[in-house]
Amino acid sequence: MTAGGGSGGGGGAGGVTSGKKRQRSGSYSRLSSTVGIIDSSRPDNTLTERTQKTSGIRRTASQAFIAPSSSAAVSRGFNDSATADVVLRLFVDQLPLFDTDDSESISAVDSDQSDVQIYLHSDVLCRSKYFATLLSDRWQKESNDVDSGNSLRMFRLNLGVPATPGSIDHHLAVLQLLYTNDFSTTIHNVSVALCLLPVALELIFEDCIKACVRFLEAVPWTEDEERKILSIVPLLGKEESQELLARVSIDEIDTSEQMLHGLILSALHNHPNTAFAKAFVAKLLRDFSSKEAAKRVLDRAFQSSLKIVKESLEEYSSPDFRGDHNEIEAIQRLNLHTAMTNGRHLVWLVERMIELRVADTAVQEWSNQAAFTADLLRALRDDAWRNIVPGLPAVVLRCTCKLSNAVATGTILATRQVRKKIVKDWLPVLILCKDYATPMMPSHKTIYVELEDTFLSIISTLPLSDAQELLQQCLSFSTRNVEDCPHLISAFTTWFRRANKFPLPDM
């Protein structure tokens, strides 16, 4: 693009062959695509707006940011033709300055092109580094188009704007902000800030850039606004973008897992409305993007709660402290309550693991608890727990039932050794709880019967020799009325049917 002639009383600093905008540090190269040139085709003292037919372009109807008219401007204000020494023509360029994936920005443009001519002041425009460079002595000397016959030198500049909806309005708004230090009146929502920030970056208007960024840092964003902000961030400097990026990015890779683990612990231990908090965290776990990460978090919480339950029952069943009777009793009560509370946590964690189908580590761990079940059996043979935590056996067996059922149904694929061990270690606890330890409350009966049926199903998956060993311990599942234990009858019938078959030939 070449400079216009000096006729009509208007030379100017804009008269250059390629007066490109100086790039702002860290900004995108396409910001420098517009050109300032001399245009002496219009009278000095009129505000004009020209419309031409050109394929694919039209001016948007919105004028939300522009002042109502030049008569509303104050002395030496925006668009004041009486005192201006710069006439700026804004025109729609064919190519947008910024890449966009917004289809509306293309479909909203059709065959009308618009020009806007406004009157400005060179000393005010110099708040923009782009205009400061364009109006500098260097550009003026190179242009050689100054009209020495005029007492007031008039610069005539052209500025192409992207062919996107509202582009001219956004440029007018930023140009108006050159005349004020009060940005808060104009930049009052995220949408406005996102419209003005690219223009401020294009014109290298630092005060406006800072005002837009400061506003965006302080307010919430929608998902679409966040996407737009992240598309602009590469154009900002490191310090300017730091707070914006801090909201959506993290330095540590495992921070999401730490956050999720913290929420689980808070829901289990600290939140007053535990049921509501647990339900909310359960939804977060279901919706979590990484199943493996959710598994690691749940495994970590499971191990922590299991350790507390085991240590509490170990201290209760094998006390290693001295003191008076009341002190010992208080400590034992505390141990039982601690075991009971964390046992409930285990039930919830197991439910979440099974729901996400990530309970394989928990099943393996639960099947390797010979010492834990021995401590539990010792504790349950002592009548003291009955008046302190009567629901303890049911809580522990509920964990066992849920994990065992996941194995029996194939939700968790366990090895033969794990299947055998989970029955072998926990069958004595079931038998003791059912026959000796606790009164048969209706809810407990359901757990016992369900666990009996689950254990028998697992036993049916084992080799005949292992099944023979474990089935002999299941006679306590029998009832006064033989017809009331069909699951036990079916298990023994299946074993004898298999055992009485002829041996398979050697392969």
Side-chain angles (χ1 to χ4, degrees), residues 23 30 60 65 86 90 99 114 149 177 197-198 200 202 207 244 252 261 301 312 330 374 489 498 506:
Q23 291 189 26
R30 291 185 65 185
T60 59
F65 299 121
V86 177
L90 295 177
D99 290 331
S114 294
L177 288 175
L197 181 54
E202 173 194 346
D207 291 338
L244 298 176
E252 299 182 23
H261 184 255
S312 300
I489 295 174
R498 291 172 176 174
D506 293 336

Side-chain angles (χ1 to χ4, degrees), residues 304-441:
S304 177
S305 292
L306 178 58
K307 180 181 178 182
I308 294 173
V309 173
K310 290 166 62 175
E311 289 176 349
S312 300
L313 285 177
E314 183 181 3
E315 291 180 10
Y316 177 83
S317 60
S318 304
D320 187 21
F321 49 83
R322 296 180 180 180
D324 60 35
H325 176 74
N326 291 334
E327 182 180 356
I328 294 174
E329 183 178 357
I331 294 175
Q332 293 292 66
R333 282 177 174 271
L334 179 61
N335 285 329
L336 286 176
H337 280 296
T338 300
M340 181 69 176
T341 300
N342 284 275
R344 291 194 180 109
H345 298 340
L346 282 175
V347 173
W348 184 83
L349 291 168
V350 166
E351 289 173 345
R352 303 288 73 75
M353 290 174 162
I354 293 173
E355 181 181 30
L356 299 178
R357 303 178 75 91
V358 293
D360 47 324
T361 302
V363 166
Q364 189 169 356
E365 187 71 23
W366 203 255
S367 70
N368 192 30
Q369 296 299 328
F372 174 36
T373 54
D375 289 333
L376 184 59
L377 289 171
R378 281 194 294 271
L380 295 178
R381 290 190 180 102
D382 181 2
D383 290 339
W385 63 269
R386 294 177 183 271
N387 297 323
I388 303 173
V389 285
L392 179 61
V395 167
V396 177
L397 289 181
R398 191 172 290 115
C399 278
T400 308
C401 186
K402 290 181 180 298
L403 291 172
S404 300
N405 189 61
V407 172
T409 58
T411 303
I412 302 299
L413 300 180
T415 65
R416 186 185 89 181
Q417 290 78 9
V418 169
R419 298 198 305 273
K420 179 180 178 181
K421 281 281 289 177
I422 201 170
V423 175
K424 184 176 181 179
D425 286 353
W426 288 98
L427 182 57
V429 178
L430 171 61
I431 293 171
L432 181 64
C433 289
K434 181 181 178 182
D435 292 344
Y436 306 109
T438 182
M440 292 288 284
M441 297 172 59

Side-chain angles (χ1 to χ4, degrees), residues 1 16-21 33-37 91 130 158-160:
M1 188 178 294
V16 296
T17 57
S18 60
K20 295 187 177 181
K21 293 190 288 292
S33 62
T34 33
V35 182
I37 67 168
F91 65 93
Y130 164 63
N158 287 353
L159 180 63

Side-chain angles (χ1 to χ4, degrees), residues 126-145:
C126 285
R127 293 183 69 186
S128 156
K129 291 182 180 179
Y130 164 63
F131 285 116
T133 301
L134 200 61
L135 297 171
S136 66
D137 290 340
R138 173 191 172 190
W139 290 113
Q140 292 178 33
K141 291 177 181 178
E142 290 183 4
S143 67
N144 292 320
D145 284 323

Side-chain angles (χ1 to χ4, degrees), residues 435-493:
D435 292 344
Y436 306 109
T438 182
M440 292 288 284
M441 297 172 59
S443 59
H444 293 176
K445 288 181 181 179
T446 302
I447 295 171
Y448 297 152
V449 172
E450 183 178 356
L451 189 52
E452 287 177 3
D453 191 47
T454 300
F455 277 170
L456 291 172
S457 295
I458 294 175
I459 290 172
S460 71
T461 70
L462 300 175
L464 283 175
S465 57
D466 293 336
Q468 179 181 355
E469 174 189 349
L470 295 173
L471 278 175
Q472 291 178 11
Q473 302 177 47
C474 295
L475 282 176
S476 59
F477 295 176
S478 60
T479 59
R480 181 176 300 177
N481 186 350
V482 176
E483 301 301 325
D484 290 340
C485 51
H487 56 308
L488 186 63
I489 295 174
S490 176
F492 276 100
T493 300

Side-chain angles (χ1 to χ4, degrees), residues 48-337:
T48 64
E49 181 174 290
R50 184 185 66 186
T51 302
Q52 296 178 346
K53 283 286 184 181
T54 306
S55 63
I57 304 176
R58 71 180 173 92
R59 184 165 180 256
T60 59
S62 172
Q63 295 292 333
F65 299 121
I66 191 171
S69 68
S70 60
S71 62
V74 297
S75 179
R76 276 188 50 79
F78 175 77
N79 203 20
D80 179 14
S81 61
T83 60
D85 62 345
V86 177
V87 179
L88 176 65
R89 173 196 168 218
L90 295 177
F91 65 93
V92 175
D93 203 351
Q94 290 287 347
L95 294 176
L97 295 181
F98 292 90
D99 290 331
T100 177
D101 57 0
D102 186 357
S103 60
E104 293 183 1
S105 66
I106 304 302
S107 62
V109 179
D110 75 37
S111 61
D112 296 329
Q113 179 181 9
S114 294
D115 283 12
V116 174
Q117 181 173 288
I118 52 176
Y119 293 89
L120 304 168
H121 303 82
S122 59
D123 57 331
V124 177
L125 286 177
C126 285
R127 293 183 69 186
S128 156
K129 291 182 180 179
Y130 164 63
F131 285 116
T133 301
L134 200 61
L135 297 171
S136 66
D137 290 340
R138 173 191 172 190
W139 290 113
Q140 292 178 33
K141 291 177 181 178
E142 290 183 4
S143 67
N144 292 320
D145 284 323
V146 177
D147 186 353
S148 57
N150 285 349
S151 59
L152 178 62
R153 181 168 50 187
M154 183 68 71
F155 300 100
R156 296 185 178 276
L157 309 177
N158 287 353
L159 180 63
V161 303
T164 55
S167 183
I168 285 184
D169 293 332
H170 303 155
H171 281 72
L172 288 171
V174 172
L175 291 170
Q176 283 182 282
L177 288 175
L178 288 166
Y179 285 80
T180 182
N181 288 316
D182 181 15
F183 297 96
S184 60
T185 303
T186 300
I187 305 172
H188 54 82
N189 61 49
V190 175
S191 178
V192 171
L194 288 173
C195 289
L196 302 190
L197 181 54
V199 180
L201 286 164
E202 173 194 346
L203 301 180
I204 320 179
F205 183 9
E206 297 290 351
D207 291 338
C208 187
I209 293 169
K210 291 176 182 176
C212 291
V213 171
R214 187 162 57 248
F215 184 87
L216 293 174
E217 288 174 359
V219 298
W221 313 327
T222 66
E223 186 175 351
D224 183 58
E225 289 168 346
E226 180 176 312
R227 179 182 60 81
K228 293 177 180 178
I229 289 169
L230 292 179
S231 71
I232 296 176
V233 160
L235 308 177
L236 299 170
K238 183 177 181 180
E239 291 185 5
E240 291 168 334
S241 62
Q242 185 174 3
E243 289 298 322
L244 298 176
L245 289 175
R247 189 186 299 193
V248 297
S249 61
I250 48 179
D251 295 330
E252 299 182 23
I253 298 176
D254 61 345
T255 303
S256 294
E257 293 184 27
Q258 293 176 6
M259 177 66 166
L260 195 56
H261 184 255
L263 289 173
I264 290 174
L265 294 183
S266 180
L268 294 177
H269 299 284
N270 302 327
H271 204 277
N273 296 320
T274 304
F276 298 151
K278 285 181 177 178
F280 181 78
V281 174
K283 174 172 174 53
L284 290 180
L285 286 166
R286 287 193 298 272
D287 298 340
F288 201 63
S289 58
S290 171
K291 185 176 179 180
E292 285 301 315
K295 180 183 186 304
R296 287 192 295 269
V297 170
L298 287 168
D299 284 344
R300 181 180 170 190
F302 176 84
Q303 292 288 352
S304 177
S305 292
L306 178 58
K307 180 181 178 182
I308 294 173
V309 173
K310 290 166 62 175
E311 289 176 349
S312 300
L313 285 177
E314 183 181 3
E315 291 180 10
Y316 177 83
S317 60
S318 304
D320 187 21
F321 49 83
R322 296 180 180 180
D324 60 35
H325 176 74
N326 291 334
E327 182 180 356
I328 294 174
E329 183 178 357
I331 294 175
Q332 293 292 66
R333 282 177 174 271
L334 179 61
N335 285 329
L336 286 176
H337 280 296

